[in-house]
Amino acid sequence: MLRPSIRVSQKAVSYKKSSLPLLWLEDNKRECINKESLQRVSDRYGTKPELQVTDAKYEVTENELIVNWEDESVSKYPTQWLDDQLNTNKEPSPKIPIGGLATIPSVSHGINLHYWGTSPETALQILPESDWQEVQQSQKAAGEWVANLKKYGFGLMRSFEGSESEVTKLAEVTANYIRNSIFGGFWSFGAGYEHADTAYSTDSLPAHVDGCYCYDPPGLQMLSCIEYDAVGGLTSLNDGFAILSKFKDCHPEAFQLLQQTPFSFSYHDTERGVHLLNKTPVIVTDFNNEVKQFRFNDCDRDPFPIDTPKELYEAWNLLSYFVKTATPVQFQLLPGTALIFDNWRLLHTRTGFTGKRTLVGCYLNMEDFHSRLRTRVV
């Protein structure tokens, strides 16, 4: 039975015997979920430093909750989905003590991290590049390659053909071997949705890191373009550690909240019977309170618990704003070049494209990259 339309003001909707905050409903608009991958496609967070909260009217039918937002948009929430959320997503996430989550040893070998890109003034002027032939023939060149990966968080390998055998060789030079994953070991992808992920499409991708739904997210990622007959598809990189350093200086309380509060991240592929799930803070620190991982991916983020305080939404929005206003490195990844980047540190994006664009690549483990640092950098 339809209720009379009820207006609420930045508060909550009454649903059965529960109260659903407007913040939570706006964060989980079902029309902003990709039906193929079940990932978020909303651009709600980070547009402005202050979180924008709207008023709404709502009504409840037998099968759905209908919310009419102040901007005249309409969201519909199936009652079955709402009931599932009420049964499994009630309590706020427990706080995690600061430090002690990651026990990853520091590996510096005299390499100071070069933070970049928090503003136009700190943008990288010269990209860290190496030549594949030189790296294969010279231990010194191979050492410089892995050292630059540590220093800047990424590197470009020129004169690289991108075959499976070449990708395997570069993986061995960088981190001993290829890491397997739900996508396989060596993978090739274009725009055919071979997997339930928006990376396998022509859509633009917002800044993110891969594998937040993994207990141990991939340490590094390799990408090499083997075919480009397209318009668009620019690759961008942001220095996540530099962003977090600035964010902590400007908003220490928000930083601490994101350091202590677990977020839930998921990967769904119903056709293959896959549902990966991990709960982790966005900012992962060690026992020395040193940042070790930046797990930022709004596409793969699950709904917040229903009773999540407004402060967490505001902290997430502020961090998203810092990400969106950073100065990225941007380039077109074309045949002949491989890109490897630190997936625990750097955020990567891609603009949408039309045409044909085929990449190959793989994941690498961080501990094996650290092994190469210990043995190659002298």
Side-chain angles (χ1 to χ4, degrees):
M1 182 177 178
L2 192 67
R3 286 188 182 186
S5 183
I6 301 172
R7 183 168 189 82
V8 291
S9 176
Q10 300 182 13
K11 292 183 180 178
V13 163
S14 295
Y15 175 75
K16 296 186 176 180
K17 295 182 179 180
S18 299
S19 181
L20 304 177
L22 279 187
L23 266 175
W24 185 84
L25 288 168
E26 192 167 9
D27 186 46
N28 291 290
K29 292 181 177 180
R30 307 323 293 157
E31 67 271 22
C32 295
I33 301 297
N34 184 291
K35 293 180 180 179
E36 296 284 344
S37 66
L38 302 182
Q39 293 172 295
R40 294 175 181 272
V41 293
S42 171
D43 193 33
R44 178 182 184 220
Y45 291 99
T47 304
K48 297 180 180 180
E50 301 82 17
L51 184 63
Q52 305 299 303
V53 184
T54 60
D55 294 349
K57 294 180 179 180
Y58 74 97
E59 53 194 22
V60 181
T61 70
E62 183 177 350
N63 297 316
E64 60 187 4
L65 165 66
I66 303 171
V67 178
N68 295 273
W69 300 99
E70 195 173 34
D71 63 3
E72 300 185 353
S73 64
V74 178
S75 299
K76 297 180 179 180
Y77 305 83
T79 53
Q80 181 62 58
W81 182 83
L82 289 173
D83 292 344
D84 289 344
Q85 294 299 310
L86 286 169
N87 288 331
T88 61
N89 206 8
K90 294 181 185 178
E91 301 299 325
S93 298
K95 293 293 183 290
I96 292 175
I98 295 176
L101 182 63
T103 55
I104 303 160
S106 295
V107 181
S108 63
H109 289 283
I111 303 169
N112 294 319
L113 299 188
H114 180 93
Y115 286 176
W116 51 269
T118 54
S119 67
E121 292 73 26
T122 60
L124 280 182
Q125 302 302 316
I126 300 176
L127 301 182
E129 299 179 347
S130 294
D131 180 84
W132 181 223
Q133 300 306 317
E134 292 181 6
V135 167
Q136 292 182 93
Q137 296 168 8
S138 165
Q139 288 294 320
K140 180 181 179 183
E144 290 173 349
W145 162 249
V146 294
N148 276 333
L149 282 176
K150 177 67 176 178
K151 182 176 182 179
Y152 298 103
F154 75 103
L156 296 169
M157 187 66 77
R158 304 299 189 186
S159 304
F160 188 81
E161 68 175 52
S163 66
E164 183 170 359
S165 62
E166 292 289 88
V167 168
T168 301
K169 289 178 183 177
L170 180 53
E172 291 172 351
V173 168
T174 307
N176 293 312
Y177 58 91
I178 290 175
R179 166 179 171 151
N180 212 343
S181 74
I182 193 64
F183 305 108
F186 170 86
W187 24 259
S188 172
F189 66 97
Y193 265 119
E194 294 92 341
H195 293 274
D197 194 290
T198 45
Y200 292 78
S201 73
T202 61
D203 300 338
S204 62
L205 301 177
H208 68 285
V209 302
D210 281 15
C212 292
Y213 44 74
C214 298
Y215 300 157
D216 173 30
L220 297 94
Q221 181 170 176
M222 183 196 310
L223 296 172
S224 179
C225 182
I226 60 171
E227 182 180 20
Y228 182 82
D229 184 14
V231 176
L234 285 171
T235 296
S236 295
L237 301 172
N238 283 108
D239 189 345
F241 282 9
I243 292 169
L244 287 179
S245 179
K246 182 178 179 181
F247 181 67
K248 183 178 182 180
D249 289 342
C250 296
H251 301 282
E253 292 182 357
F255 181 96
Q256 182 174 323
L257 186 59
L258 294 173
Q259 183 185 10
Q260 291 185 282
T261 307
F263 281 43
S264 179
F265 297 96
S266 290
Y267 173 84
H268 301 265
D269 190 337
T270 53
E271 290 187 5
R272 300 171 65 202
V274 177
H275 178 195
L276 300 178
L277 172 67
N278 185 32
K279 294 187 177 182
T280 173
V282 174
I283 304 169
V284 178
T285 55
D286 65 6
F287 44 82
N288 291 321
N289 206 24
E290 179 182 342
V291 174
K292 291 295 184 179
Q293 297 178 9
F294 189 14
R295 298 183 180 180
F296 185 95
N297 192 323
D298 199 51
C299 295
D300 293 340
R301 178 176 60 82
D302 290 329
F304 288 136
I306 292 171
D307 291 337
T308 294
K310 185 180 178 183
E311 288 76 15
L312 186 64
Y313 289 95
E314 292 173 333
W316 181 241
N317 180 72
L318 264 177
L319 181 58
S320 300
Y321 179 75
F322 272 65
V323 169
K324 286 185 177 180
T325 54
T327 303
V329 167
Q330 189 172 64
F331 50 88
Q332 190 69 260
L333 193 57
L334 296 172
T337 299
L339 163 69
I340 295 186
F341 59 89
D342 183 338
N343 185 61
W344 288 5
R345 172 181 170 185
L346 263 58
L347 309 169
H348 62 286
T349 73
R350 180 195 70 206
T351 62
F353 66 93
T354 57
K356 194 155 189 180
R357 178 180 182 267
T358 304
L359 302 184
V360 297
C362 63
Y363 290 133
L364 307 171
N365 285 321
M366 185 60 73
E367 63 265 29
D368 296 293
F369 172 60
H370 284 180
S371 169
R372 281 295 188 236
L373 281 170
R374 293 185 186 100
T375 58
R376 291 195 181 276
V377 179
V378 294

